[in-house]
Amino acid sequence: MESIFHEKQEGSLCAQHCLNNLLQGEYFSPVELSSIAHQLDEEERMRMAEGGVTSEDYRTFLQVISNALKVWGLELILFNSPEYQRLRIDPINERSFICNYKEHWFTVRKLGKQWFNLNSLLTGPELISDTYLALFLAQLQQEGYSIFVVKGDLPDCEADQLLQMIRVQQMHRPKLIGEELAQLKEQRVQKTDLERVLEANDGSGMLDEDEEDLQRALALSRQEIDMEDEEADLRRAIQLSMQGSSRNVSQDIPQTSGTHLTSEELRKRREAYFEKQQQQQHPPAPLSHPRERPTTSSGALGSDPGDAMSEEDMLQAAVTMSLEVVRNNFKTEGKK
C-alpha cells in the first residue's frame, strides 16, 4: 500500500488531509483553503476560525470543502438525503465518500477495485471489503457522522492505476495515531525501567547465576566425599571384624582352667574348618583321575580362579567358624 497517498493528522488540518487523501496528492495547503474561506462573508469566516461545533460552523466547513472540490468539477451529495436514497445506488458502485463528525473530516475512496478508509487519524490506509462497506457506512451514521457522496471524475493517480491490475491484502489493521503513540511511550518507559534496573544491579544478575552454579558443584562434591567416606568405613569395619574375631572369641569364653585356646590353636581350627568347607564344596576326584591341590605356607588350600572366595564369603565363613569354636568349647566344658 505504499503507493497510496495518505496524509496523517497534524494539528486541526483535517479538512486539508481529507481533500488531499481524496485527490491522492498534495493539492491543497492551509493557505489555499484559507483563500477559499476568504471568499465567504466576514461572519462565516469568523465562525470557521472559532472551530465550534454548531450547525452554522458545520455549514461553513462544508461550504469551504464544497468550494474546493468545485475546482476539480466535483460536488457533494448527502448520502442519506431522500433525493439520493430514491436512486437506490449500491455504495460499492460509487467512487468515494467524505465523512464528517463535528470538526473532523475524512475520506473513504475506491482505488482500483478495492475500498480504503483514508482517515488521517489512522497510521495508514485501512482496507475495506465490498461486503463490509455498506455496514461500515451504516455504523458511521449510527455514531452521528454525516456522509457525503462525491460525484464527478476524480483526477488520475498512481495508486488507482496500480490497483486496477493487482489486489492487495492487509494482515494487520492500522491503529489510531493516539494508540500508537501511547504504545511507543509505554515501550520507552519499559526500556528505561529495564536499563535502570540493570544499572542498579551492575551485572549482579550474572553473578548470582555463577554463584548458584558454584553452590551446586560444591554440593555434588560433598556428596561424592560422603560416599567415599562411607565406603572406607565399611572396608575398615570388615577388616577389623576379621582381625578381631579370634580375640573376641577367646574373651567371650569363660576363663576356666583347661578351656583357654591360644591364637595358634584358633588358627589351626580355622584352617581345618576351611579345609572341611572346601572338601564339601569340591569332593575328591575319582582315583582314575587323581588331582592334587597344593597348599600354601599357612595351610590354607589353594584353588583355581573359579574356586576363589570373595571377601564377603571369607568374612561369613570366619564368623561361622568362630561360633562353631565357641559351641565346641562350651560342649567340652560341659563334659568336664
Side-chain angles (χ1 to χ4, degrees):
M1 299 184 187
E2 295 180 356
S3 60
I4 300 177
F5 182 86
H6 179 254
E7 275 188 357
K8 297 180 183 179
Q9 187 71 25
E10 293 182 5
S12 300
L13 303 177
C14 57
Q16 171 193 325
H17 303 321
C18 174
L19 292 171
N20 287 340
N21 289 340
L22 171 67
L23 302 174
Q24 285 293 287
E26 297 179 355
Y27 289 92
F28 292 99
S29 66
V31 175
E32 292 170 331
L33 291 179
S34 178
S35 176
I36 294 174
H38 276 294
Q39 299 173 8
L40 305 176
D41 59 38
E42 185 66 22
E43 184 179 358
E44 291 174 335
R45 285 189 283 109
M46 289 178 62
R47 285 196 297 269
M48 185 178 65
E50 291 174 358
V53 295
T54 64
S55 59
E56 289 294 332
D57 295 315
Y58 161 75
R59 283 196 293 267
T60 300
F61 276 97
L62 178 59
Q63 189 172 353
V64 171
I65 292 178
S66 297
N67 291 343
L69 291 177
K70 286 179 181 179
V71 178
W72 298 94
L74 303 172
E75 62 174 332
L76 299 179
I77 300 177
L78 191 61
F79 178 69
N80 60 349
S81 64
E83 294 80 10
Y84 183 79
Q85 291 298 319
R86 282 195 294 266
L87 299 176
R88 298 181 179 275
I89 301 176
D90 192 330
I92 63 173
N93 294 325
E94 300 289 359
R95 294 294 302 172
S96 59
F97 300 92
I98 287 181
C99 309
N100 165 254
Y101 181 70
K102 297 182 179 180
E103 70 274 13
H104 184 61
W105 302 76
F106 70 91
T107 293
V108 177
R109 174 174 171 170
K110 190 173 188 179
L111 293 169
K113 299 177 182 180
Q114 295 174 284
W115 284 91
F116 296 91
N117 176 9
L118 302 178
N119 194 334
S120 60
L121 293 179
L122 295 175
T123 57
E126 179 185 16
L127 180 64
I128 301 176
S129 65
D130 290 349
T131 56
Y132 180 64
L133 178 63
L135 181 60
F136 178 71
L137 296 176
Q139 182 180 354
L140 291 178
Q141 287 181 307
Q142 289 292 329
E143 295 175 358
Y145 275 83
S146 298
I147 302 176
F148 300 91
V149 183
V150 180
K151 289 294 187 178
D153 295 330
L154 295 168
D156 294 335
C157 64
E158 179 183 358
D160 186 55
Q161 296 174 358
L162 180 61
L163 294 176
Q164 290 287 349
M165 298 180 291
I166 61 173
R167 297 179 66 88
V168 298
Q169 294 182 346
Q170 191 169 47
M171 303 301 296
H172 302 286
R173 296 178 60 184
K175 299 179 180 180
L176 290 172
I177 292 178
E179 293 178 354
E180 184 184 43
L181 292 176
Q183 185 177 4
L184 292 175
K185 182 179 180 180
E186 183 178 358
Q187 291 176 353
R188 285 195 297 267
V189 171
Q190 292 177 352
K191 182 179 179 181
T192 303
D193 292 341
L194 178 60
E195 292 175 349
R196 188 181 299 110
V197 170
L198 292 176
E199 290 177 359
N201 291 339
D202 193 19
S204 61
M206 297 180 63
L207 293 178
D208 291 342
E209 293 180 0
D210 294 340
E211 185 176 356
E212 291 178 0
D213 293 339
L214 178 60
Q215 292 297 334
R216 284 195 293 269
L218 291 176
L220 291 175
S221 178
R222 284 195 294 268
Q223 291 178 2
E224 293 176 357
I225 293 174
D226 292 341
M227 293 177 63
E228 292 176 356
D229 291 343
E230 291 177 358
E231 292 177 357
D233 292 341
L234 179 60
R235 286 195 298 270
R236 285 195 296 270
I238 294 174
Q239 183 178 6
L240 290 174
S241 176
M242 294 182 67
Q243 291 177 354
S245 60
S246 60
R247 293 195 300 271
N248 292 336
V249 170
S250 62
Q251 291 174 1
D252 292 339
I253 299 174
Q255 299 297 318
T256 58
S257 61
T259 61
H260 178 72
L261 294 176
T262 65
S263 60
E264 179 65 22
E265 292 173 341
L266 187 60
R267 182 183 64 79
K268 289 181 179 181
R269 292 192 179 189
R270 184 186 299 114
E271 291 176 355
Y273 176 80
F274 283 138
E275 185 173 349
K276 182 179 179 180
Q277 291 290 96
Q278 289 285 55
Q279 290 175 356
Q280 292 177 355
Q281 296 178 4
H282 304 282
L287 295 176
S288 59
H289 299 284
R291 181 180 179 184
E292 295 183 357
R293 302 176 67 86
T295 60
T296 62
S297 59
S298 62
L301 293 176
S303 62
D304 293 335
D307 297 331
M309 299 178 66
S310 66
E311 185 176 354
E312 183 178 357
D313 294 336
M314 291 286 289
L315 177 60
Q316 183 64 34
V319 173
T320 304
M321 181 275 297
S322 299
L323 294 175
E324 183 69 22
V325 171
V326 172
R327 284 195 294 271
N328 292 335
N329 287 335
F330 278 128
K331 289 179 182 179
T332 303
E333 182 65 20
K335 291 178 180 181
K336 290 181 178 181

